Structures are given as C-alpha cells and as structure tokens.
Amino acid sequence: MNIFLETYGCQMNMADSETIRSILISNGHHMTLEANDAEVVLMNTCAIRENAHRKIYGRLDILRPLKKQREQERRPFIVGVLGCMAQNLKEELLNHPVANLVVGPDSYRALPHLIDRIVQTNNQEIEASLSEYETYSDIAPSRIAGVNAWVTIMRGCDNFCTFCVVPYTRGRERSLPVSSILNELERLVKSGYKQATLLGQNVNSYCYEGERFADLIVKAAQIPGLERIRFTSPHPKDFPEKLLYAIAEYPNICNHIHLPLQSGSDRILNLMNRTYTSAEYLDLVKVIRRIIPTTTLTTDIIVGFPTETEEDFQATVQVMNTAQFNNAFIFKYSERKGTIAARDYPDDVSEADKTDRIVRLNELQHGIAFVKHQRYIGQKVQVLIEGDADKGIDRQMGKTEGNLTVVFPKTGLNPGEFITVEIAETTAGTLYAH
Ligand code: SAM
Ligand code: SF4
C-alpha cells in the first residue's frame, strides 16, 4: 500500500520513524511524499506538552474530508496515530471519527499485520502494550539522506521526573547492545554520513553488559570516518568525569553539552524529583568548563511548575546568569495526565504568570547569548555544511562543533563537507561570515 508518514516531536521520534519506515518497506509497502497519494496516513506523535496533543487533533480534523472522499469512492483509507500520544491516550483516540489505528512506541513491529487486518475487516485496531525488552536493535533504520544520522542507544526512562509523561509513554529504560550500535555507526559512515547523534532520555544511565556510555562513545570515536559525534541528553544527576575526559580527548566527540536544568530553585527541583540542587548543577558546570574549556552549553527549563513563586523564578534567573548558557529551550509547565505532578500538585501558576516568566527568561537568555557569541568575531571556526540558509539562496549554513549555526556566502561546497570561515558578525542565535 502507499503510506504517508509524518513525524512530530523530538529527535527520538525522528529516529523511530526511520525504524517504522524500515518495517513497512520490508513488508512490501511503499512510502509516499503526499497524504493525498496515500491509502495509509500515519502520524508519529508526541505527548510531552498539551500543545503536542492539540496539533494532532488539528491534523486529524484536516484529514476528515479526505477520509470522507475515500469512503464515498469505496477506497481504503487508514489513519494511524503512533508513538507517545497513542500510548498516552489509547482508546480515547479511537473515539475520534478519523483515526482507526493506534500504535504505541513498543508495538511498531505489529504495524504491517494491523494494517492488513483493517483492510480485511474494516475494524479499528489498537496495539499499545509497553515492553521491557523491545529495542528494535535488529532493524536497520530506513533513513532519508542527510548530514546527520540519529542513532537510538537506549529506549524508555526510569527517572520519573514528576512533570514528565515519558516513563509512561515509552516505558522502562533499556539499552541497545554495544555491538549493534557500533555496527550501525560503521554502516552510516559507509553510506556517507559525517555526523551521528546518539539518543537516549538519559544517556548517562546507558548500560549494556557492564559497558557504560563513556565506554560506548570512546569506541564510537575510534570508527574511522565518523567526523562528528553528538549525544543528547545527559541527566545532571549522574554525569561521570570519564565522559568529560573522553569529550576533551577525542576531536570527533563534539564540544557541546545539553544539560537540562529545569529550574534553579531547590524547592522546585525537589518537587520535580530531579535529585540535584542548583549548587550541584553549577558545580557540574564548573567541572565541565575546567575539563573542556571550549565547550558550549545548552539547557531546558520549565517555568510555572506548580507552586513556583517569583522567588523560585528568581533562583532560576540567578542560575542562568551564573551558568551562561549558549542556548536555552524554555517551556511553560503543561500538566500531563497520569504523572506524579498531576496527581499531587495542582497546576496553580496562572497562564499570565507563565507567559510573563517565559518572556523574561527568553529575554535574559537572548542577552547572555548575544554577548557570549560576540567573542567569536574575528575567530576562524570549522563548519559542517548542512545546506542552504533559510533566508536567501545565495547563502549556505552549517554548524560548528559547539552546535552554533553559521551562515556564510554560498561556496562550491556541498552539504556534508567542511569549511573554515572567519566570523564577522553575530546575533544571539547565529554567527555570520562574509
Ligand atoms: N530526558 C530529557 C531530560 O531529562 O533532559 C528530557 C526529554 S523531554 C522530551 C524535553 C524537555 O521537555 C524536558 O527537558 C523538559 O524541559 C520539557 N518537558 C517535559 N515535560 C514537560 C511538561 N510537562 N511541561 C513542560 N515541559 C516539559
Ligand atoms: Fe522525562 Fe525526567 Fe526521564 Fe527526562 S529524565 S525523560 S524529563 S522523566
């Protein structure tokens, strides 16, 4: 059948979509680029915040006329909701008049069989049981050509941060075998990828037959031709120095660490079950900068967690001022059904306060990044070219090792090639070379 697959949410979902594509293609299906050409439309969804759910309901509404048209023509049309939202809402989704297939993140192997069954019976199908073992490590992802490849090294999460739905939608933490990850990386190099990003909800708890994340990344760094290795995310609670020394030693492990802070208030961090204090976080930042002085540092922050006061918020401001992040992804707290926070802490910070705090933090971060990035003016940086810049076909863009975006006049070089440029201008988000 012709299948159209679209992906929402995080890098983990992008990686999962490549596994889904592989499962479907190896079962004789054909992937299309347009929903209108498809008999099956699949959405790989996210559940992390309420607006992720809203987006999918909006998309289902858009598909309603197409579904009606296909019914009138008596042609098959299957609309499937896959991934975290499927796991989170299960039967509720099947009550939607458009969706007739619901499949959770551990059940993708069942997709071909479920699609066949819907074609034969015209019934709805749901498969959303979580597994302690499923890693899809035997399935070679079907990737769309590019510069970077996402490589899942572990699935699920056991941390149970009180705000977070991931442990319920992606289940228990499990690591993929070292050998399957290394084989996959070697395959990637052979097919022309220059960069791999290793993915897990908390890469520092990676453990396969006694081998930890630092052991894995050192082995990966020794693969000839793998020019850049990135990873996301490490949890601040168990960041081993061994990993920092590996980043410092191997030039192909990128000097960029994404270290989610979530809040600068110890009271809120405790309610979030993050298991570190702001002082411990800042101590880790110091150690990171001592061992890898040139590293860039980015973070995630939630504003408006239940009971967050202006004083708690100011504690976050203080940590941001001290840590001096290159970039911060700042979110308004969104209550997720079934989480510990939803059960124990009413969502009592007003929408107006959440908006006010997110605006203030974004302004603060903008100012910090603006000053920080001015230091690059006059410096030469190596850039891995990713493609044309958004604004204008006469410019290209790429990333530094520290994951900073660089825009420069078009060269004769192609995506995947390296160029060294001298930075002439900077903004909070971008470096420019003439
Ligand atoms: N495992 C990663 C970690 O601990 O850093 C986080 C993965 S989550 C997909 C990405 C970010 O979404 C989190 O770091 C957090 O800032 C944000 N997030 C998670 N749950 C949220 C919620 N209920 N409301 C708002 N933001 C949330
Ligand atoms: Fe969610 Fe916390 Fe796990 Fe990250 S570490 S996925 S925030 S529970």
PDB file of all heavy atoms in Angstrom, residues 195 228 230 254-256 294 296 326 373 376 379-386 397-408 418-419 421 423 430-431:
ATOM      1  N   GLN A 195      28.061  12.791  10.496  1.00  0.00           N
ATOM      2  CA  GLN A 195      27.766  13.030  11.900  1.00  0.00           C
ATOM      3  C   GLN A 195      26.700  12.058  12.394  1.00  0.00           C
ATOM      4  O   GLN A 195      25.742  11.778  11.677  1.00  0.00           O
ATOM      5  CB  GLN A 195      27.251  14.467  12.043  1.00  0.00           C
ATOM      6  CG  GLN A 195      26.764  14.838  13.423  1.00  0.00           C
ATOM      7  CD  GLN A 195      26.328  16.298  13.477  1.00  0.00           C
ATOM      8  OE1 GLN A 195      27.133  17.205  13.338  1.00  0.00           O
ATOM      9  NE2 GLN A 195      25.047  16.528  13.663  1.00  0.00           N
ATOM     10  N   ARG A 228      31.938  13.599  13.279  1.00  0.00           N
ATOM     11  CA  ARG A 228      31.353  14.281  14.436  1.00  0.00           C
ATOM     12  C   ARG A 228      30.378  13.356  15.160  1.00  0.00           C
ATOM     13  O   ARG A 228      29.493  12.769  14.530  1.00  0.00           O
ATOM     14  CB  ARG A 228      30.596  15.541  14.006  1.00  0.00           C
ATOM     15  CG  ARG A 228      31.507  16.710  13.715  1.00  0.00           C
ATOM     16  CD  ARG A 228      30.694  17.959  13.464  1.00  0.00           C
ATOM     17  NE  ARG A 228      31.579  19.116  13.299  1.00  0.00           N
ATOM     18  CZ  ARG A 228      31.157  20.347  13.096  1.00  0.00           C
ATOM     19  NH1 ARG A 228      29.867  20.594  13.012  1.00  0.00           N
ATOM     20  NH2 ARG A 228      32.025  21.344  12.973  1.00  0.00           N
ATOM     21  N   ARG A 230      27.637  13.515  18.317  1.00  0.00           N
ATOM     22  CA  ARG A 230      26.909  14.298  19.318  1.00  0.00           C
ATOM     23  C   ARG A 230      26.082  13.339  20.157  1.00  0.00           C
ATOM     24  O   ARG A 230      25.860  12.185  19.762  1.00  0.00           O
ATOM     25  CB  ARG A 230      25.968  15.302  18.641  1.00  0.00           C
ATOM     26  CG  ARG A 230      26.653  16.305  17.745  1.00  0.00           C
ATOM     27  CD  ARG A 230      25.681  17.391  17.292  1.00  0.00           C
ATOM     28  NE  ARG A 230      26.326  18.286  16.356  1.00  0.00           N
ATOM     29  CZ  ARG A 230      27.153  19.271  16.698  1.00  0.00           C
ATOM     30  NH1 ARG A 230      27.412  19.490  17.979  1.00  0.00           N
ATOM     31  NH2 ARG A 230      27.706  20.045  15.790  1.00  0.00           N
ATOM     32  N   CYS A 254      31.888  15.977  19.802  1.00  0.00           N
ATOM     33  CA  CYS A 254      31.693  17.430  19.747  1.00  0.00           C
ATOM     34  C   CYS A 254      31.687  18.064  21.132  1.00  0.00           C
ATOM     35  O   CYS A 254      31.113  17.523  22.085  1.00  0.00           O
ATOM     36  CB  CYS A 254      30.375  17.744  19.039  1.00  0.00           C
ATOM     37  SG  CYS A 254      30.459  17.389  17.297  1.00  0.00           S
ATOM     38  N   ASN A 255      32.316  19.243  21.200  1.00  0.00           N
ATOM     39  CA  ASN A 255      32.365  20.010  22.449  1.00  0.00           C
ATOM     40  C   ASN A 255      31.057  20.772  22.637  1.00  0.00           C
ATOM     41  O   ASN A 255      31.008  21.998  22.540  1.00  0.00           O
ATOM     42  CB  ASN A 255      33.527  21.018  22.409  1.00  0.00           C
ATOM     43  CG  ASN A 255      34.866  20.334  22.556  1.00  0.00           C
ATOM     44  OD1 ASN A 255      34.930  19.118  22.721  1.00  0.00           O
ATOM     45  ND2 ASN A 255      35.926  21.111  22.502  1.00  0.00           N
ATOM     46  N   HIS A 256      30.015  20.035  22.877  1.00  0.00           N
ATOM     47  CA  HIS A 256      28.708  20.654  23.146  1.00  0.00           C
ATOM     48  C   HIS A 256      27.966  19.750  24.122  1.00  0.00           C
ATOM     49  O   HIS A 256      27.838  18.545  23.867  1.00  0.00           O
ATOM     50  CB  HIS A 256      27.890  20.801  21.857  1.00  0.00           C
ATOM     51  CG  HIS A 256      26.451  21.119  22.138  1.00  0.00           C
ATOM     52  ND1 HIS A 256      25.410  20.532  21.459  1.00  0.00           N
ATOM     53  CD2 HIS A 256      25.866  21.925  23.049  1.00  0.00           C
ATOM     54  CE1 HIS A 256      24.254  20.983  21.928  1.00  0.00           C
ATOM     55  NE2 HIS A 256      24.510  21.828  22.904  1.00  0.00           N
ATOM     56  N   THR A 294      36.424  24.873  26.068  1.00  0.00           N
ATOM     57  CA  THR A 294      35.798  25.459  24.878  1.00  0.00           C
ATOM     58  C   THR A 294      34.372  24.959  24.639  1.00  0.00           C
ATOM     59  O   THR A 294      33.764  25.297  23.627  1.00  0.00           O
ATOM     60  CB  THR A 294      36.615  25.120  23.615  1.00  0.00           C
ATOM     61  OG1 THR A 294      36.697  23.694  23.541  1.00  0.00           O
ATOM     62  CG2 THR A 294      38.000  25.730  23.653  1.00  0.00           C
ATOM     63  N   THR A 296      30.422  24.380  24.398  1.00  0.00           N
ATOM     64  CA  THR A 296      29.187  25.158  24.507  1.00  0.00           C
ATOM     65  C   THR A 296      28.240  24.379  25.413  1.00  0.00           C
ATOM     66  O   THR A 296      28.366  23.150  25.562  1.00  0.00           O
ATOM     67  CB  THR A 296      28.526  25.365  23.133  1.00  0.00           C
ATOM     68  OG1 THR A 296      28.368  24.086  22.522  1.00  0.00           O
ATOM     69  CG2 THR A 296      29.348  26.267  22.242  1.00  0.00           C
ATOM     70  N   ASN A 326      24.708  28.889  26.145  1.00  0.00           N
ATOM     71  CA  ASN A 326      24.691  29.379  24.766  1.00  0.00           C
ATOM     72  C   ASN A 326      23.278  29.427  24.222  1.00  0.00           C
ATOM     73  O   ASN A 326      22.968  30.215  23.339  1.00  0.00           O
ATOM     74  CB  ASN A 326      25.537  28.477  23.861  1.00  0.00           C
ATOM     75  CG  ASN A 326      26.989  28.539  24.240  1.00  0.00           C
ATOM     76  OD1 ASN A 326      27.424  27.874  25.172  1.00  0.00           O
ATOM     77  ND2 ASN A 326      27.744  29.385  23.549  1.00  0.00           N
ATOM     78  N   HIS A 373      28.326  35.315  22.119  1.00  0.00           N
ATOM     79  CA  HIS A 373      28.669  34.990  20.744  1.00  0.00           C
ATOM     80  C   HIS A 373      29.489  36.086  20.068  1.00  0.00           C
ATOM     81  O   HIS A 373      30.170  35.825  19.082  1.00  0.00           O
ATOM     82  CB  HIS A 373      27.404  34.611  19.964  1.00  0.00           C
ATOM     83  CG  HIS A 373      26.785  33.360  20.508  1.00  0.00           C
ATOM     84  ND1 HIS A 373      25.480  33.024  20.336  1.00  0.00           N
ATOM     85  CD2 HIS A 373      27.335  32.360  21.269  1.00  0.00           C
ATOM     86  CE1 HIS A 373      25.239  31.870  20.942  1.00  0.00           C
ATOM     87  NE2 HIS A 373      26.346  31.454  21.525  1.00  0.00           N
ATOM     88  N   TYR A 376      33.127  35.486  19.242  1.00  0.00           N
ATOM     89  CA  TYR A 376      33.595  34.737  18.064  1.00  0.00           C
ATOM     90  C   TYR A 376      34.043  35.655  16.933  1.00  0.00           C
ATOM     91  O   TYR A 376      34.656  35.203  15.972  1.00  0.00           O
ATOM     92  CB  TYR A 376      32.484  33.811  17.549  1.00  0.00           C
ATOM     93  CG  TYR A 376      32.251  32.609  18.435  1.00  0.00           C
ATOM     94  CD1 TYR A 376      31.302  32.646  19.447  1.00  0.00           C
ATOM     95  CD2 TYR A 376      32.998  31.445  18.272  1.00  0.00           C
ATOM     96  CE1 TYR A 376      31.084  31.548  20.269  1.00  0.00           C
ATOM     97  CE2 TYR A 376      32.793  30.347  19.099  1.00  0.00           C
ATOM     98  CZ  TYR A 376      31.831  30.404  20.085  1.00  0.00           C
ATOM     99  OH  TYR A 376      31.626  29.326  20.897  1.00  0.00           O
ATOM    100  N   GLN A 379      37.260  35.300  14.878  1.00  0.00           N
ATOM    101  CA  GLN A 379      37.795  33.933  15.032  1.00  0.00           C
ATOM    102  C   GLN A 379      37.452  33.069  13.827  1.00  0.00           C
ATOM    103  O   GLN A 379      36.415  33.263  13.194  1.00  0.00           O
ATOM    104  CB  GLN A 379      37.174  33.268  16.262  1.00  0.00           C
ATOM    105  CG  GLN A 379      37.834  33.646  17.561  1.00  0.00           C
ATOM    106  CD  GLN A 379      37.267  32.786  18.696  1.00  0.00           C
ATOM    107  OE1 GLN A 379      36.891  31.634  18.508  1.00  0.00           O
ATOM    108  NE2 GLN A 379      37.204  33.377  19.878  1.00  0.00           N
ATOM    109  N   LYS A 380      38.342  32.099  13.562  1.00  0.00           N
ATOM    110  CA  LYS A 380      38.049  31.137  12.486  1.00  0.00           C
ATOM    111  C   LYS A 380      37.379  29.914  13.096  1.00  0.00           C
ATOM    112  O   LYS A 380      37.844  29.418  14.125  1.00  0.00           O
ATOM    113  CB  LYS A 380      39.337  30.732  11.798  1.00  0.00           C
ATOM    114  CG  LYS A 380      39.900  31.879  10.969  1.00  0.00           C
ATOM    115  CD  LYS A 380      40.931  31.395   9.984  1.00  0.00           C
ATOM    116  CE  LYS A 380      41.236  32.508   9.013  1.00  0.00           C
ATOM    117  NZ  LYS A 380      42.648  32.735   8.829  1.00  0.00           N
ATOM    118  N   VAL A 381      36.280  29.478  12.489  1.00  0.00           N
ATOM    119  CA  VAL A 381      35.593  28.283  13.008  1.00  0.00           C
ATOM    120  C   VAL A 381      35.393  27.279  11.881  1.00  0.00           C
ATOM    121  O   VAL A 381      35.212  27.660  10.719  1.00  0.00           O
ATOM    122  CB  VAL A 381      34.212  28.621  13.634  1.00  0.00           C
ATOM    123  CG1 VAL A 381      34.347  29.474  14.880  1.00  0.00           C
ATOM    124  CG2 VAL A 381      33.282  29.287  12.628  1.00  0.00           C
ATOM    125  N   GLN A 382      35.437  25.999  12.262  1.00  0.00           N
ATOM    126  CA  GLN A 382      35.181  24.963  11.266  1.00  0.00           C
ATOM    127  C   GLN A 382      33.686  24.647  11.252  1.00  0.00           C
ATOM    128  O   GLN A 382      33.073  24.470  12.315  1.00  0.00           O
ATOM    129  CB  GLN A 382      35.987  23.705  11.606  1.00  0.00           C
ATOM    130  CG  GLN A 382      36.035  22.745  10.439  1.00  0.00           C
ATOM    131  CD  GLN A 382      36.368  21.331  10.857  1.00  0.00           C
ATOM    132  OE1 GLN A 382      35.920  20.849  11.878  1.00  0.00           O
ATOM    133  NE2 GLN A 382      37.168  20.669  10.032  1.00  0.00           N
ATOM    134  N   VAL A 383      33.125  24.591  10.048  1.00  0.00           N
ATOM    135  CA  VAL A 383      31.681  24.407   9.919  1.00  0.00           C
ATOM    136  C   VAL A 383      31.395  23.155   9.090  1.00  0.00           C
ATOM    137  O   VAL A 383      32.002  22.956   8.039  1.00  0.00           O
ATOM    138  CB  VAL A 383      31.051  25.640   9.210  1.00  0.00           C
ATOM    139  CG1 VAL A 383      29.557  25.470   9.033  1.00  0.00           C
ATOM    140  CG2 VAL A 383      31.363  26.911   9.968  1.00  0.00           C
ATOM    141  N   LEU A 384      30.479  22.333   9.570  1.00  0.00           N
ATOM    142  CA  LEU A 384      29.985  21.222   8.754  1.00  0.00           C
ATOM    143  C   LEU A 384      28.756  21.745   8.010  1.00  0.00           C
ATOM    144  O   LEU A 384      27.752  22.112   8.629  1.00  0.00           O
ATOM    145  CB  LEU A 384      29.617  20.024   9.649  1.00  0.00           C
ATOM    146  CG  LEU A 384      29.003  18.806   8.959  1.00  0.00           C
ATOM    147  CD1 LEU A 384      29.900  18.263   7.851  1.00  0.00           C
ATOM    148  CD2 LEU A 384      28.712  17.702   9.973  1.00  0.00           C
ATOM    149  N   ILE A 385      28.851  21.810   6.683  1.00  0.00           N
ATOM    150  CA  ILE A 385      27.779  22.425   5.887  1.00  0.00           C
ATOM    151  C   ILE A 385      26.535  21.534   5.892  1.00  0.00           C
ATOM    152  O   ILE A 385      26.612  20.334   5.642  1.00  0.00           O
ATOM    153  CB  ILE A 385      28.249  22.673   4.432  1.00  0.00           C
ATOM    154  CG1 ILE A 385      29.507  23.569   4.434  1.00  0.00           C
ATOM    155  CG2 ILE A 385      27.134  23.294   3.585  1.00  0.00           C
ATOM    156  CD1 ILE A 385      30.121  23.774   3.065  1.00  0.00           C
ATOM    157  N   GLU A 386      25.381  22.157   6.204  1.00  0.00           N
ATOM    158  CA  GLU A 386      24.127  21.382   6.234  1.00  0.00           C
ATOM    159  C   GLU A 386      23.243  21.670   5.026  1.00  0.00           C
ATOM    160  O   GLU A 386      22.446  20.828   4.632  1.00  0.00           O
ATOM    161  CB  GLU A 386      23.355  21.679   7.526  1.00  0.00           C
ATOM    162  CG  GLU A 386      24.062  21.081   8.740  1.00  0.00           C
ATOM    163  CD  GLU A 386      23.235  21.091  10.011  1.00  0.00           C
ATOM    164  OE1 GLU A 386      22.120  21.634  10.001  1.00  0.00           O
ATOM    165  OE2 GLU A 386      23.735  20.561  11.014  1.00  0.00           O
ATOM    166  N   MET A 397      24.365  27.392   5.159  1.00  0.00           N
ATOM    167  CA  MET A 397      24.500  27.354   6.612  1.00  0.00           C
ATOM    168  C   MET A 397      25.056  25.999   7.053  1.00  0.00           C
ATOM    169  O   MET A 397      25.007  25.021   6.314  1.00  0.00           O
ATOM    170  CB  MET A 397      23.164  27.627   7.313  1.00  0.00           C
ATOM    171  CG  MET A 397      22.036  26.675   7.049  1.00  0.00           C
ATOM    172  SD  MET A 397      22.132  25.083   7.899  1.00  0.00           S
ATOM    173  CE  MET A 397      22.054  25.544   9.599  1.00  0.00           C
ATOM    174  N   GLY A 398      25.638  26.031   8.230  1.00  0.00           N
ATOM    175  CA  GLY A 398      26.144  24.787   8.810  1.00  0.00           C
ATOM    176  C   GLY A 398      26.313  24.980  10.303  1.00  0.00           C
ATOM    177  O   GLY A 398      25.894  25.995  10.860  1.00  0.00           O
ATOM    178  N   LYS A 399      26.936  23.985  10.949  1.00  0.00           N
ATOM    179  CA  LYS A 399      27.074  24.042  12.405  1.00  0.00           C
ATOM    180  C   LYS A 399      28.536  23.931  12.798  1.00  0.00           C
ATOM    181  O   LYS A 399      29.320  23.204  12.177  1.00  0.00           O
ATOM    182  CB  LYS A 399      26.303  22.873  13.042  1.00  0.00           C
ATOM    183  CG  LYS A 399      24.790  22.986  12.907  1.00  0.00           C
ATOM    184  CD  LYS A 399      24.219  23.997  13.877  1.00  0.00           C
ATOM    185  CE  LYS A 399      22.772  24.344  13.614  1.00  0.00           C
ATOM    186  NZ  LYS A 399      21.803  23.532  14.250  1.00  0.00           N
ATOM    187  N   THR A 400      28.882  24.670  13.870  1.00  0.00           N
ATOM    188  CA  THR A 400      30.210  24.494  14.467  1.00  0.00           C
ATOM    189  C   THR A 400      30.170  23.227  15.305  1.00  0.00           C
ATOM    190  O   THR A 400      29.096  22.674  15.569  1.00  0.00           O
ATOM    191  CB  THR A 400      30.563  25.660  15.399  1.00  0.00           C
ATOM    192  OG1 THR A 400      29.657  25.619  16.520  1.00  0.00           O
ATOM    193  CG2 THR A 400      30.473  27.002  14.702  1.00  0.00           C
ATOM    194  N   GLU A 401      31.342  22.841  15.782  1.00  0.00           N
ATOM    195  CA  GLU A 401      31.408  21.690  16.682  1.00  0.00           C
ATOM    196  C   GLU A 401      30.494  21.917  17.895  1.00  0.00           C
ATOM    197  O   GLU A 401      29.835  21.010  18.397  1.00  0.00           O
ATOM    198  CB  GLU A 401      32.860  21.541  17.141  1.00  0.00           C
ATOM    199  CG  GLU A 401      33.057  20.436  18.100  1.00  0.00           C
ATOM    200  CD  GLU A 401      34.482  20.384  18.615  1.00  0.00           C
ATOM    201  OE1 GLU A 401      35.304  21.245  18.276  1.00  0.00           O
ATOM    202  OE2 GLU A 401      34.759  19.465  19.387  1.00  0.00           O
ATOM    203  N   GLY A 402      30.428  23.187  18.355  1.00  0.00           N
ATOM    204  CA  GLY A 402      29.603  23.527  19.519  1.00  0.00           C
ATOM    205  C   GLY A 402      28.121  23.661  19.184  1.00  0.00           C
ATOM    206  O   GLY A 402      27.336  24.116  20.010  1.00  0.00           O
ATOM    207  N   ASN A 403      27.732  23.278  17.964  1.00  0.00           N
ATOM    208  CA  ASN A 403      26.341  23.297  17.504  1.00  0.00           C
ATOM    209  C   ASN A 403      25.798  24.706  17.300  1.00  0.00           C
ATOM    210  O   ASN A 403      24.593  24.929  17.350  1.00  0.00           O
ATOM    211  CB  ASN A 403      25.427  22.524  18.471  1.00  0.00           C
ATOM    212  CG  ASN A 403      24.261  21.867  17.742  1.00  0.00           C
ATOM    213  OD1 ASN A 403      24.390  21.530  16.560  1.00  0.00           O
ATOM    214  ND2 ASN A 403      23.144  21.716  18.413  1.00  0.00           N
ATOM    215  N   LEU A 404      26.678  25.683  17.091  1.00  0.00           N
ATOM    216  CA  LEU A 404      26.226  27.041  16.781  1.00  0.00           C
ATOM    217  C   LEU A 404      26.002  27.126  15.278  1.00  0.00           C
ATOM    218  O   LEU A 404      26.788  26.571  14.486  1.00  0.00           O
ATOM    219  CB  LEU A 404      27.280  28.068  17.208  1.00  0.00           C
ATOM    220  CG  LEU A 404      27.609  28.078  18.710  1.00  0.00           C
ATOM    221  CD1 LEU A 404      28.795  28.995  18.986  1.00  0.00           C
ATOM    222  CD2 LEU A 404      26.390  28.514  19.524  1.00  0.00           C
ATOM    223  N   THR A 405      24.932  27.834  14.885  1.00  0.00           N
ATOM    224  CA  THR A 405      24.614  27.967  13.468  1.00  0.00           C
ATOM    225  C   THR A 405      25.491  29.052  12.851  1.00  0.00           C
ATOM    226  O   THR A 405      25.621  30.142  13.404  1.00  0.00           O
ATOM    227  CB  THR A 405      23.131  28.347  13.305  1.00  0.00           C
ATOM    228  OG1 THR A 405      22.354  27.325  13.919  1.00  0.00           O
ATOM    229  CG2 THR A 405      22.734  28.496  11.846  1.00  0.00           C
ATOM    230  N   VAL A 406      26.081  28.742  11.694  1.00  0.00           N
ATOM    231  CA  VAL A 406      26.888  29.722  10.967  1.00  0.00           C
ATOM    232  C   VAL A 406      26.302  29.894   9.570  1.00  0.00           C
ATOM    233  O   VAL A 406      26.013  28.913   8.886  1.00  0.00           O
ATOM    234  CB  VAL A 406      28.365  29.266  10.846  1.00  0.00           C
ATOM    235  CG1 VAL A 406      29.210  30.334  10.152  1.00  0.00           C
ATOM    236  CG2 VAL A 406      28.954  28.940  12.210  1.00  0.00           C
ATOM    237  N   VAL A 407      26.104  31.157   9.168  1.00  0.00           N
ATOM    238  CA  VAL A 407      25.597  31.469   7.827  1.00  0.00           C
ATOM    239  C   VAL A 407      26.724  32.165   7.064  1.00  0.00           C
ATOM    240  O   VAL A 407      27.392  33.044   7.609  1.00  0.00           O
ATOM    241  CB  VAL A 407      24.344  32.371   7.922  1.00  0.00           C
ATOM    242  CG1 VAL A 407      23.922  32.872   6.543  1.00  0.00           C
ATOM    243  CG2 VAL A 407      23.194  31.602   8.572  1.00  0.00           C
ATOM    244  N   PHE A 408      26.930  31.761   5.808  1.00  0.00           N
ATOM    245  CA  PHE A 408      28.052  32.307   5.028  1.00  0.00           C
ATOM    246  C   PHE A 408      27.688  32.307   3.548  1.00  0.00           C
ATOM    247  O   PHE A 408      26.780  31.576   3.129  1.00  0.00           O
ATOM    248  CB  PHE A 408      29.324  31.482   5.283  1.00  0.00           C
ATOM    249  CG  PHE A 408      29.113  30.004   5.131  1.00  0.00           C
ATOM    250  CD1 PHE A 408      29.345  29.368   3.922  1.00  0.00           C
ATOM    251  CD2 PHE A 408      28.627  29.240   6.185  1.00  0.00           C
ATOM    252  CE1 PHE A 408      29.117  28.013   3.773  1.00  0.00           C
ATOM    253  CE2 PHE A 408      28.389  27.873   6.045  1.00  0.00           C
ATOM    254  CZ  PHE A 408      28.642  27.270   4.838  1.00  0.00           C
ATOM    255  N   PHE A 418      33.223  20.130   4.923  1.00  0.00           N
ATOM    256  CA  PHE A 418      33.652  21.091   5.943  1.00  0.00           C
ATOM    257  C   PHE A 418      34.225  22.333   5.292  1.00  0.00           C
ATOM    258  O   PHE A 418      34.831  22.271   4.224  1.00  0.00           O
ATOM    259  CB  PHE A 418      34.741  20.463   6.826  1.00  0.00           C
ATOM    260  CG  PHE A 418      34.197  19.449   7.797  1.00  0.00           C
ATOM    261  CD1 PHE A 418      34.192  18.095   7.478  1.00  0.00           C
ATOM    262  CD2 PHE A 418      33.688  19.845   9.031  1.00  0.00           C
ATOM    263  CE1 PHE A 418      33.688  17.155   8.367  1.00  0.00           C
ATOM    264  CE2 PHE A 418      33.179  18.915   9.924  1.00  0.00           C
ATOM    265  CZ  PHE A 418      33.180  17.570   9.592  1.00  0.00           C
ATOM    266  N   ILE A 419      34.048  23.478   5.968  1.00  0.00           N
ATOM    267  CA  ILE A 419      34.662  24.720   5.521  1.00  0.00           C
ATOM    268  C   ILE A 419      35.103  25.484   6.769  1.00  0.00           C
ATOM    269  O   ILE A 419      34.449  25.399   7.814  1.00  0.00           O
ATOM    270  CB  ILE A 419      33.677  25.556   4.670  1.00  0.00           C
ATOM    271  CG1 ILE A 419      34.360  26.806   4.125  1.00  0.00           C
ATOM    272  CG2 ILE A 419      32.438  25.963   5.446  1.00  0.00           C
ATOM    273  CD1 ILE A 419      33.512  27.576   3.115  1.00  0.00           C
ATOM    274  N   VAL A 421      35.624  29.213   8.226  1.00  0.00           N
ATOM    275  CA  VAL A 421      35.263  30.600   7.894  1.00  0.00           C
ATOM    276  C   VAL A 421      35.615  31.505   9.068  1.00  0.00           C
ATOM    277  O   VAL A 421      35.714  31.053  10.208  1.00  0.00           O
ATOM    278  CB  VAL A 421      33.748  30.738   7.579  1.00  0.00           C
ATOM    279  CG1 VAL A 421      33.371  29.972   6.336  1.00  0.00           C
ATOM    280  CG2 VAL A 421      32.892  30.310   8.764  1.00  0.00           C
ATOM    281  N   ILE A 423      34.466  34.551  11.419  1.00  0.00           N
ATOM    282  CA  ILE A 423      33.201  35.157  11.847  1.00  0.00           C
ATOM    283  C   ILE A 423      33.329  36.683  11.838  1.00  0.00           C
ATOM    284  O   ILE A 423      34.284  37.250  12.376  1.00  0.00           O
ATOM    285  CB  ILE A 423      32.805  34.655  13.262  1.00  0.00           C
ATOM    286  CG1 ILE A 423      32.650  33.128  13.256  1.00  0.00           C
ATOM    287  CG2 ILE A 423      31.532  35.335  13.749  1.00  0.00           C
ATOM    288  CD1 ILE A 423      31.663  32.579  12.236  1.00  0.00           C
ATOM    289  N   THR A 430      22.904  33.264  15.843  1.00  0.00           N
ATOM    290  CA  THR A 430      23.615  32.896  14.613  1.00  0.00           C
ATOM    291  C   THR A 430      24.944  33.641  14.498  1.00  0.00           C
ATOM    292  O   THR A 430      25.064  34.799  14.899  1.00  0.00           O
ATOM    293  CB  THR A 430      22.741  33.240  13.384  1.00  0.00           C
ATOM    294  OG1 THR A 430      21.434  32.693  13.597  1.00  0.00           O
ATOM    295  CG2 THR A 430      23.294  32.675  12.093  1.00  0.00           C
ATOM    296  N   LEU A 431      25.932  32.957  13.921  1.00  0.00           N
ATOM    297  CA  LEU A 431      27.208  33.598  13.585  1.00  0.00           C
ATOM    298  C   LEU A 431      27.211  33.794  12.063  1.00  0.00           C
ATOM    299  O   LEU A 431      26.747  32.926  11.325  1.00  0.00           O
ATOM    300  CB  LEU A 431      28.390  32.713  13.989  1.00  0.00           C
ATOM    301  CG  LEU A 431      28.370  32.046  15.384  1.00  0.00           C
ATOM    302  CD1 LEU A 431      29.676  31.266  15.606  1.00  0.00           C
ATOM    303  CD2 LEU A 431      28.197  33.078  16.489  1.00  0.00           C
TER     304      LEU A 431
END
